[in-house]
Amino acid sequence: MKIAVDAMGGDKGSQAIVSAIKEFLVDNDDVEIIVFGDQEQLKELPSSCRIVHAPDVVPMEAGALEVIRMKNSSMYKALSTMKEEGLDAVVSTGSTGGFLSAATLILKLLPGLKRAALVTAFPTIIKGKKVVVLDAGANNENSPEELVQFAYMGRAYHQALFDVDSPKTYLLSNGTEANKGSPAVKKAHELLINNNFPGFKGNLEAREVLKGEADILVADGFSGNILLKGAEGTAKTMSNMIKDIFKKNLWTKIGYLFVAKGFKNMSETMDYKSTGGAMLLGINGVVVKAHGNSDAYAFKNALRVAKKMVDYQVVSKIKEIGKSGQ
Amino acid sequence: MKIAVDAMGGDKGSQAIVSAIKEFLVDNDDVEIIVFGDQEQLKELPSSCRIVHAPDVVPMEAGALEVIRMKNSSMYKALSTMKEEGLDAVVSTGSTGGFLSAATLILKLLPGLKRAALVTAFPTIIKGKKVVVLDAGANNENSPEELVQFAYMGRAYHQALFDVDSPKTYLLSNGTEANKGSPAVKKAHELLINNNFPGFKGNLEAREVLKGEADILVADGFSGNILLKGAEGTAKTMSNMIKDIFKKNLWTKIGYLFVAKGFKNMSETMDYKSTGGAMLLGINGVVVKAHGNSDAYAFKNALRVAKKMVDYQVVSKIKEIGKSGQ
């Protein structure tokens, strides 16, 4: 198995990525990692890694065309080498928009698929349980037929990552009844029922997502993005408030000692870093986007997700969805 | 000033509503309240209230046509009496869908307005500051022109409730740049710029809403609903986790004593009950929907919002928006 790593463009610098690769290889010495970046910053990588010098960093606001013009950027080189050499996967922590759109342009959509979708695993209050959400923001709008394909792709992704026999799939909507939702959601609901989609359970309201009833949540890219960022913003705001409460004075610091364990568990439950970033589904290759502020722990999880996707042959499984003409 | 109150259908029963009215009248003895409900349950109301016996309760899942057929329901009687007698406002804690759609059918959209929008004031981390969000879910999709009208209506509502000279208005989107968003959001952005909309500041991502930079946030009904319910669900989930942490054993209960004040402040900041429910804008009359689980405190706030809207003549101001053909 060969995984390309774009080592530039993350908020924490390439050192975090070097550490992540070292730790990952301890348990996965059968994987070959090809690392793209400034070779000066990559000296501490183990000798088993191939290093490709590509020092330019794609700016955060770059689009696909800009990435493709930057021939010496780590991102472009990682994607084009993947295409040329048939590497199995690519992982990047750089510019989201640039990475996703350049990956689609260079690696191409799988035949029969209408749109790629960004998928992520989101925490729930059920210990260890994540809900798979897609599209998390690769698209600005989606047709009912695209939502149906997302449901099939989400199921393939879920089965690769988690050991659940019959995952429950829901549509994100503004009401639980079948006749509630945007026009696209209402029509997709009808299509999923007509298709006898395995494990389709109907609509889910945004306030229920964290409860963990759903395994897979299908949304158009615009509202999926709003759900995820809204929940992330609320959780972060409350976490900051909690920190301020405990830091206030000596007494509140003493108070913290009595409940430190509980609050640590809570922040682990709500921690998106353990989910290993997001993956672009529907593309000819495993394309993983780690969070821009990934530390070594988060980036190692992103590498693990990439490996699981290759092991489980998610790309071939999604190819079947395109062929079946769903 | 005359306000109609639908006293049935709330989760806490009509007793909470009776208490709310009594408390409200202490400071507002110039307001006449007409209360619709089961007269047996309304005996303790002060003699200054007019009571209209209308004992039937509209079920939670009812639509407009069902409300209109239920001639003896408190909701139908409140709305039809408002229409017949020209009452200034109506407040209900019953079925949201039924109330909003029946209000639109009976009281009618103001001339020139394309759609009604549900508006609510949402908490932010800035002390005492709320952000006004619309549409919170009265519509399943909205055109760019409807979003522009929502911006004008939101401004009129904000100026009635808050003392801010030039409120900042944003569009909810999946990116801050002008070219990010659903097709409707992108076009609405362009129209607001072309209109020189006062205080228009561009797009806002969902994760920024609680930070309190925006005074008014404009969204289509589908994604507005997802934002609000997603944030509410996350906040509630975390609050429950916090309660469980402190309740765990004697030591954690002792820990709570050191930080009780901070956590009480935090839950006040995040408390949606202080915002007094939501209002349907664009209708010929002040229409306030209190939360289904309103206690006396929340319902009193809903009555206060209704009074402010009448005092500030929000309906006439919105009539001007319709006339101007925005």
Side-chain angles (χ1 to χ4, degrees):
Chain A
M1 186 186 307
K2 294 178 180 181
I3 300 180
V5 169
D6 167 13
M8 311 297 279
D11 303 345
K12 302 260 156 86
S14 49
Q15 263 348 89
I17 291 171
V18 169
S19 308
I21 293 172
K22 280 158 110 174
E23 285 174 37
F24 175 78
L25 287 172
V26 172
D27 305 321
N28 300 281
D29 55 6
D30 53 330
V31 178
E32 187 188 339
I33 309 266
I34 303 111
V35 189
F36 300 80
D38 181 348
Q39 61 190 13
E40 275 304 301
Q41 296 175 33
L42 302 174
K43 278 182 198 160
E44 283 176 35
L45 281 169
S47 59
S48 68
C49 294
R50 181 167 27 132
I51 295 172
V52 178
H53 185 56
D56 294 354
V57 183
V58 168
M60 280 317 286
E61 65 288 358
L65 296 178
E66 212 166 335
V67 176
I68 285 172
R69 269 187 231 114
M70 292 181 69
K71 303 286 183 206
N72 281 320
S73 67
S74 54
M75 189 182 281
Y76 175 76
K77 277 244 168 109
L79 287 166
S80 57
T81 307
M82 178 165 170
K83 168 87 174 169
E84 283 154 24
E85 300 189 11
L87 308 179
D88 299 293
V90 59
V91 183
S92 174
T93 177
S95 156
T96 308
F99 181 61
L100 300 182
S101 51
T104 311
L105 260 173
I106 293 169
L107 302 170
K108 306 266 190 282
L109 269 177
L110 290 165
L113 287 181
K114 298 170 205 297
R115 294 282 188 99
L118 194 64
V119 65
T120 189
F122 202 67
T124 76
I125 52 166
I126 298 176
K127 205 174 161 68
K129 178 162 183 179
K130 311 275 183 197
V131 51
V132 160
V133 182
L134 76 167
D135 175 21
N139 299 284
N140 288 323
E141 65 168 344
N142 291 105
S143 69
E145 293 74 19
E146 287 160 15
L147 294 175
V148 170
Q149 282 195 340
F150 293 175
Y152 283 98
M153 295 203 291
R155 196 172 151 84
Y157 175 88
H158 191 278
Q159 289 178 326
L161 268 191
F162 305 106
D163 191 23
V164 174
D165 259 355
S166 181
K168 292 175 191 158
T169 298
Y170 286 84
L171 279 167
L172 178 64
S173 193
N174 55 349
T176 50
E177 303 89 338
N179 64 350
K180 286 282 168 72
S182 66
V185 166
K186 279 190 249 187
K187 182 72 188 165
H189 191 112
E190 204 183 302
L191 294 171
L192 288 166
I193 299 259
N194 291 349
N195 280 7
N196 282 317
F197 186 90
F200 178 56
K201 300 290 178 191
N203 293 347
L204 194 75
E205 288 194 88
R207 70 160 73 89
E208 306 295 321
V209 178
L210 286 180
K211 291 189 184 161
E213 173 61 20
D215 294 294
I216 300 158
L217 182 63
V218 175
D220 66 277
F222 188 74
S223 44
N225 188 273
I226 282 166
L227 173 76
L228 295 173
K229 284 187 186 156
E232 188 194 318
T234 309
K236 208 165 179 176
T237 300
M238 288 184 72
S239 301
N240 289 341
M241 284 175 167
I242 293 169
K243 272 182 206 148
D244 289 345
I245 290 170
F246 283 120
K247 269 193 212 153
K248 200 175 175 199
N249 57 41
L250 182 63
W251 298 110
T252 59
K253 283 175 191 164
I254 292 171
Y256 182 67
L257 302 175
F258 292 91
V259 287
K261 189 159 167 269
F263 278 94
K264 270 180 198 147
N265 286 343
M266 173 169 149
S267 61
E268 273 165 31
T269 304
M270 302 297 287
D271 183 17
Y272 61 89
K273 282 186 182 159
S274 66
T275 62
M279 181 176 166
L280 192 63
L281 294 175
I283 298 297
N284 194 8
V286 169
V287 176
V288 175
K289 170 67 185 72
H291 289 279
N293 63 353
S294 290
D295 53 18
Y297 170 70
F299 200 84
K300 192 173 83 171
N301 280 323
L303 288 169
R304 278 189 185 145
V305 167
K307 179 171 186 286
K308 275 200 180 177
M309 293 302 138
V310 179
D311 277 340
Y312 189 75
Q313 301 185 292
V314 166
V315 173
S316 321
K317 289 194 168 69
I318 291 178
K319 219 177 254 173
E320 295 304 313
I321 298 168
K323 274 187 200 159
S324 74
Q326 292 295 359
Chain B
M1 186 186 306
K2 293 177 181 182
I3 301 180
V5 169
D6 166 14
M8 310 297 280
D11 302 346
K12 303 259 156 87
S14 48
Q15 261 351 86
I17 292 172
V18 169
S19 308
I21 294 173
K22 279 159 111 173
E23 283 174 38
F24 175 79
L25 286 173
V26 171
D27 304 321
N28 300 281
D29 55 6
D30 52 332
V31 178
E32 187 188 338
I33 310 265
I34 302 109
V35 190
F36 300 79
D38 181 348
Q39 61 191 12
E40 274 304 300
Q41 295 176 34
L42 302 175
K43 278 184 200 159
E44 283 175 34
L45 281 170
S47 59
S48 68
C49 294
R50 177 158 41 124
I51 296 172
V52 178
H53 185 56
D56 294 355
V57 182
V58 169
M60 280 318 285
E61 65 287 355
L65 296 179
E66 214 166 332
V67 175
I68 286 173
R69 267 188 233 114
M70 293 181 69
K71 302 287 181 207
N72 281 320
S73 68
S74 54
M75 189 182 282
Y76 175 75
K77 277 245 168 106
L79 287 165
S80 56
T81 307
M82 177 166 171
K83 169 88 175 168
E84 283 155 25
E85 300 189 11
L87 308 180
D88 298 294
V90 60
V91 184
S92 174
T93 179
S95 155
T96 307
F99 181 60
L100 300 181
S101 52
T104 310
L105 261 174
I106 293 170
L107 302 170
K108 305 266 188 282
L109 268 176
L110 289 165
L113 287 181
K114 297 170 206 300
R115 293 285 188 98
L118 194 64
V119 63
T120 188
F122 201 67
T124 76
I125 52 166
I126 298 177
K127 207 177 160 65
K129 179 162 181 179
K130 311 275 181 195
V131 51
V132 161
V133 182
L134 76 167
D135 175 22
N139 299 283
N140 288 324
E141 66 168 344
N142 291 105
S143 70
E145 293 74 20
E146 287 159 16
L147 293 175
V148 170
Q149 282 195 339
F150 293 175
Y152 284 97
M153 294 201 294
R155 197 172 150 83
Y157 175 87
H158 191 278
Q159 290 178 326
L161 267 191
F162 304 107
D163 191 24
V164 174
D165 258 356
S166 182
K168 292 176 190 156
T169 298
Y170 287 83
L171 278 167
L172 178 65
S173 192
N174 55 350
T176 52
E177 303 90 337
N179 63 351
K180 287 281 170 69
S182 65
V185 165
K186 279 190 249 188
K187 182 71 188 167
H189 191 114
E190 207 182 302
L191 293 173
L192 288 167
I193 300 261
N194 291 348
N195 280 8
N196 284 316
F197 186 90
F200 178 56
K201 300 290 178 192
N203 292 348
L204 194 76
E205 290 193 89
R207 71 158 75 87
E208 306 295 321
V209 178
L210 286 181
K211 291 189 184 162
E213 174 61 20
D215 294 293
I216 299 158
L217 182 63
V218 175
D220 66 277
F222 188 73
S223 43
N225 188 274
I226 282 165
L227 172 76
L228 294 173
K229 284 187 186 156
E232 186 195 318
T234 309
K236 206 163 181 181
T237 300
M238 289 183 72
S239 300
N240 288 341
M241 285 175 165
I242 293 169
K243 272 182 207 151
D244 289 345
I245 290 171
F246 284 120
K247 269 194 212 152
K248 201 176 174 195
N249 58 40
L250 182 62
W251 299 109
T252 59
K253 283 176 191 162
I254 292 170
Y256 181 68
L257 302 175
F258 292 90
V259 288
K261 188 158 167 269
F263 278 95
K264 270 180 199 147
N265 286 343
M266 174 169 149
S267 61
E268 272 165 31
T269 303
M270 304 296 288
D271 181 18
Y272 61 88
K273 280 187 183 159
S274 67
T275 63
M279 181 176 164
L280 192 64
L281 294 175
I283 298 298
N284 195 9
V286 169
V287 176
V288 175
K289 170 69 185 71
H291 289 278
N293 64 354
S294 291
D295 52 19
Y297 170 69
F299 201 84
K300 191 172 84 171
N301 280 323
L303 288 170
R304 279 188 184 147
V305 166
K307 179 170 186 284
K308 274 199 182 178
M309 293 301 139
V310 178
D311 277 340
Y312 189 73
Q313 300 186 293
V314 166
V315 173
S316 320
K317 290 195 169 67
I318 291 178
K319 219 177 254 175
E320 294 303 314
I321 299 168
K323 276 187 199 159
S324 76
Q326 292 295 357

